[in-house]
Amino acid sequence: MTEHQKPLPPISPDTKEFWEGLRRHQLLIQRCQDCGTYRHYPRPMCHNCNSMNGQWVKVRGRGKVYSWIVSHHTVHPAFPTPYLVAIVELEEGVRMITNLVDTSPDEVYIGMPVEVFFEDVTEEITLPLFKPIDKGSRRT
Amino acid sequence: MNGLRDKAAIAGIGETAYSRNSGVTYQALLLQAAVRAIEDAGLTAKEIDAIIPPCFGAPADTFAVNLGIPDLRYAATLRIGGAAAVASLQTAAMTISSGVAKNVLCVTGWNGYSGARIKGMGSIWDATITMMPIMREFEHPFGFFIPVQWFAMMARRHMYEYGTTSVQLGAVAVAMRKHAILNDNAIMKKPITIEDHAKSRMMADPLRLLDCCLESDGAAAVVVSSAERAKDMRHRPAYIMGVGEGYPESPDYLAARPSLTETGIKKAAPKAFAMAGISPSDVDVAEIYDCFTWNVICQIEDIGFCKKGEGGPFVEGGRIELGGELPVNTHGGLLSQAHVLGMNHIVEAVKQLRGTAGKAQVKDAEIALVSGFGDIGDGSAAILRR
């Protein structure tokens, strides 16, 4: 594993389990134990019923591209341009900002089915990236 | 719903020269704009008793010390980025109508070119953005850092939902540039065409360089006083007829918004119109926060100048240019005049209502709308009348 130059997430007590799950290659999403509403990013309270009883649910990590951009302008030297950033909507209804891999700007479209791909970037941090479903695995 | 209607008025306006090399500190720039606004109102600095400073870097203390204010009664910092300037009119009107203070100084600006640049992710930028901790954890690791990326994500969705095109975005850029060319205090003076827009380099697809506002140095300020007092001041008052703020759901995490194509202004504008007792068709000139071309289209819809999704066609055919149905950003806006966080939009609206907007004057302008847009979609709207 080469040294990771990109910014790493500053993890808080409210988000620790999310990142620990990723390290085990599990995508965990918070769900309210009282009303069943999913939420992401991880936080202490359900926005639907204000309950603080949250549970972590291991999800399949499948969803669709909700919106996407191709970043051409260099903002951070560790991100070679161009690169794809997307908002992916999971089957559970929550959305997250991520990168799309194993695809190209010519192929991406809103509604494209995608699944999670666990990118181990350091010993401690694994990022949830997404790739098109049924395109085979990266780095065979 | 009309509690603040016509209670307060903008009595003074002030701007620095807009440039890419101010040669002075951020604080000095802000103070220069402030004293000009105070003088324009015919007041002395000692008569300022409330301050709404910019959302970063220069607290009310900076102004109180430098201006020698003996009796500062109220100060509030509005941390909503580009929505703060217009929102400060609401706070000022509340402050005045409640009797807390008499003359409120509102000021914004930055050394946006010679100082910390947006892409540099400098300390000022970090301090500006309230949701930075969430961004650091859930956006930056994926290379999602800066405004052009946020609004490209929203523009893409708008294109998908409503068929908005890059050519329509270009029409906004062209209109702002035409207006800037008429303005002696505007940075961008070279005419541009739709073709120039289409050829400009891609920043974050679908947004190109000419979809982006300027990074510039400058500051602007206004003084708000009671409507009664403003009548006796140096210039014709611009009365605050209606004003409102609005926030999208999930204001701090773009991905979780129910819609990427509606923003806080959709909630702010109806409050302002209801307070003013007028409708969008009564507006003679609109100064709309134009951090990117797409944001103008989205706000034109959310304010109600056209139906949702029709903003793209609306901005075409010269409709938002001087002489068109709804002249927008008659000063050139953030896209072509300067980026001073939207206070320049308020200053321009006041000039239009005073009849001192020079070559960009909209004939007999009686009602102006000013909008603010900040922190990924917080919104503010003010309706001013002469």
Side-chain angles (χ1 to χ4, degrees):
Chain A
M1 203 177 293
T2 56
E3 200 185 338
H4 187 74
Q5 301 290 334
K6 296 175 181 174
L8 292 168
I11 297 169
S12 82
D14 285 331
T15 63
K16 193 159 76 66
E17 294 199 59
F18 176 75
W19 295 106
E20 284 178 354
L22 289 169
R23 221 173 137 192
R24 302 190 301 268
H25 286 201
Q26 293 177 344
L27 183 58
L28 303 181
I29 300 293
Q30 271 180 316
R31 187 171 64 187
C32 176
Q33 276 183 315
D34 291 319
C35 77
T37 302
Y38 284 96
R39 65 181 183 265
H40 181 78
Y41 58 90
R43 51 189 184 263
M45 184 175 283
C46 172
H47 56 278
N48 185 53
C49 74
N50 299 155
S51 164
M52 295 182 84
N53 300 320
Q55 61 180 151
W56 292 91
V57 178
K58 184 187 158 197
V59 301
R60 200 154 67 126
R62 291 195 163 207
K64 289 178 176 172
V65 173
Y66 186 79
S67 192
W68 59 280
I69 65 168
V70 192
S71 214
H72 289 267
H73 184 71
T74 299
V75 184
H76 190 294
F79 289 87
T81 56
Y83 60 96
L84 282 162
V85 187
I87 294 176
V88 165
E89 183 170 289
L90 296 178
E91 292 167 325
E92 291 74 18
V94 298
R95 300 191 206 122
M96 54 176 60
I97 286 163
T98 184
N99 295 123
L100 298 178
V101 296
D102 268 359
T103 186
S104 72
D106 295 338
E107 292 178 339
V108 180
Y109 59 95
I110 288 177
M112 181 187 223
V114 291
E115 64 186 355
V116 70
F117 172 88
F118 297 101
E119 173 107 318
D120 300 322
V121 298
T122 69
E123 295 285 336
E124 290 79 30
I125 298 295
T126 297
L127 294 179
L129 310 185
F130 283 78
K131 62 176 186 177
I133 291 176
D134 300 324
K135 274 206 74 179
S137 66
R138 192 176 174 222
R139 289 172 201 164
T140 48
Chain B
M1 202 51 206
N2 61 358
L4 292 173
R5 179 177 171 173
D6 295 340
K7 291 283 198 301
I10 300 171
I13 54 176
E15 291 175 289
T16 65
Y18 297 138
S19 74
R20 285 173 164 161
N21 182 17
S22 70
V24 300
T25 64
Y26 172 56
Q27 287 77 10
L29 263 183
L30 295 167
L31 290 162
Q32 195 173 68
V35 292
R36 286 177 182 173
I38 294 164
E39 193 200 324
D40 183 69
L43 296 172
T44 67
K46 304 214 171 353
E47 293 172 275
I48 298 296
D49 54 2
I51 297 172
I52 303 172
C55 57
F56 61 94
D61 296 10
T62 302
F63 295 91
V65 166
N66 283 277
L67 295 169
I69 293 173
D71 187 15
L72 183 66
R73 290 162 178 260
Y74 185 67
T77 306
L78 309 180
R79 297 199 61 194
I80 48 176
V86 171
S88 70
L89 298 181
Q90 173 166 271
T91 303
M94 287 158 58
T95 303
I96 290 160
S97 68
S98 64
V100 168
K102 290 191 172 70
N103 300 307
V104 185
L105 173 68
C106 307
V107 54
T108 67
W110 58 1
N111 271 330
Y113 193 87
S114 65
R117 301 283 295 275
I118 286 284
K119 72 171 183 182
M121 308 297 292
S123 57
I124 287 180
W125 178 236
D126 279 18
T128 310
I129 303 292
T130 51
M131 57 284 217
M132 194 51 82
I134 293 146
M135 291 180 159
R136 279 193 204 289
E137 187 165 0
F138 295 102
E139 300 185 2
H140 292 185
F142 307 100
F144 197 58
F145 291 108
I146 58 172
V148 70
Q149 298 174 310
W150 313 336
F151 299 121
M153 199 67 91
M154 298 165 86
R156 170 89 62 202
R157 191 71 202 179
H158 200 270
M159 290 171 163
Y160 170 79
E161 291 178 14
Y162 303 115
T164 310
T165 67
S166 183
V167 170
Q168 291 164 343
L169 302 183
V172 176
V174 168
M176 301 309 98
R177 185 61 58 88
K178 282 185 183 174
H179 297 164
I181 288 166
L182 301 174
N183 186 339
D184 291 339
N185 193 17
I187 291 173
M188 303 304 278
K189 306 301 267 184
K190 186 177 158 221
I192 56 169
T193 63
I194 293 287
E195 292 71 35
D196 293 330
H197 171 267
K199 280 189 279 186
S200 67
R201 73 187 165 92
M202 200 60 94
M203 300 292 285
D205 188 351
L207 296 184
R208 297 178 175 278
L209 181 66
L210 289 182
D211 290 309
C212 303
C213 59
L214 305 175
E215 293 175 279
S216 54
D217 294 358
V222 300
V223 173
V224 182
S225 299
S226 74
E228 275 306 305
R229 294 167 56 84
K231 278 179 197 157
D232 300 327
M233 292 192 195
R234 185 165 288 166
H235 296 283
R236 181 159 66 188
Y239 296 98
I240 300 170
M241 264 184 111
V243 66
E245 288 176 33
Y247 299 82
E249 285 181 58
S250 180
D252 63 0
Y253 187 57
L254 184 64
R257 299 260 174 93
S259 167
L260 287 192
T261 57
E262 291 178 357
T263 58
I265 191 85
K266 186 159 187 175
K267 297 175 187 167
K271 292 174 209 160
F273 280 115
M275 190 185 290
I278 64 160
S279 67
S281 61
D282 296 318
V283 172
D284 298 311
V285 57
E287 315 297 353
I288 295 177
Y289 197 89
D290 54 330
C291 44
F292 296 87
T293 53
W294 173 78
N295 303 60
V296 175
I297 289 174
C298 180
Q299 288 177 89
I300 281 175
E301 296 168 354
D302 286 348
I303 291 165
F305 289 124
C306 65
K307 287 184 188 156
K308 194 69 208 171
E310 294 179 0
F314 186 92
V315 300
E316 292 188 299
R319 192 175 282 114
I320 61 168
E321 295 176 13
L322 279 162
E325 189 181 309
L326 180 72
V328 171
N329 295 352
T330 43
H331 53 331
L334 308 180
L335 286 163
S336 280
Q337 187 199 26
H339 192 329
V340 291
L341 292 149
M343 196 66 80
N344 51 331
H345 290 53
I346 300 174
V347 167
E348 174 67 10
V350 172
K351 286 183 185 174
Q352 288 286 348
L353 299 177
R354 288 181 181 179
T356 59
K359 292 178 203 157
Q361 182 64 47
V362 174
K363 194 167 176 287
D364 300 327
E366 291 187 7
I367 294 179
L369 179 140
V370 196
S371 84
F373 186 111
D375 278 15
I376 330 188
D378 297 341
S380 51
I383 296 160
L384 309 177
R385 72 168 175 88
R386 72 181 189 192

